[in-house]
Amino acid sequence: LSQLGPGVVRGDAVTTAGHVRAGAHLIATSQASTRLMGGARKSGSHQTWTLEAGAILEVLGEPLVAHDDARHESTMSVRLTFGAIVLIGEIAAVPSAADVRIRTSVTRGERELFYDAFEAGAAAPQAVGTLAVVGLAPERVPALVEAFDCTADALGEGLRTGVGALPNGAFVRILP
């Protein structure tokens, strides 16, 4: 499934919703980066996903590249059934004059497994990369954290990284 691109213009509201059946594997991505154009009205992108047992979803978000006067809010909500796994990758480059907010939530039943929020603009130009894997069996988490640590170490100087363990997954945040 390829979504969005090549850009979002002021006032656009894009909604994506999907249901991944038991045992299925879906990759949702884009062909290229998505430019966030400016204007008086805020644009938005909203995703809602539901995964059945044994399903795998990879949401590899297109890099968001904001113009100076962009105002954009992106939300993603993923509901997992036991045994389902989601991999989420998000990248954004935002100048200081823009207002960009990205929120991601992964739940299983009433329990929140992962929440990430990124708000850029107002302070300073920012770029961010986040990769999260949620829904793993707890015994698989240490190996994933170790892999993320090794990847963070391999990125070299000039980048700051933070790796975190979740009860059923792990995430890494990369900042310049």
Side-chain angles (χ1 to χ4, degrees), residues 32-127:
S33 64
T34 296
R35 293 199 175 280
L36 303 178
M37 311 298 182
R41 296 186 330 212
K42 183 181 283 189
S43 61
S45 170
H46 308 284
Q47 299 180 50
T48 304
W49 301 95
T50 302
L51 282 68
E52 293 182 2
I56 298 173
L57 172 64
E58 297 180 49
V59 182
L60 307 172
E62 63 284 342
L64 298 176
V65 180
H67 284 225
D68 283 343
D69 59 346
R71 295 179 54 222
H72 182 78
E73 183 168 329
S74 173
T75 60
M76 182 188 323
S77 172
V78 181
R79 292 186 298 271
L80 300 179
T81 303
F82 187 78
I85 297 172
V86 62
L87 181 144
I88 300 166
E90 297 175 317
I91 301 171
V94 183
S96 60
D99 178 13
V100 176
R101 299 160 194 239
I102 302 170
R103 291 183 178 77
T104 304
S105 174
V106 179
T107 58
R108 182 182 294 136
E110 297 299 314
R111 184 172 176 210
E112 188 169 70
L113 301 177
F114 176 73
Y115 178 81
D116 186 43
F118 171 72
E119 296 186 17
Q126 295 187 32

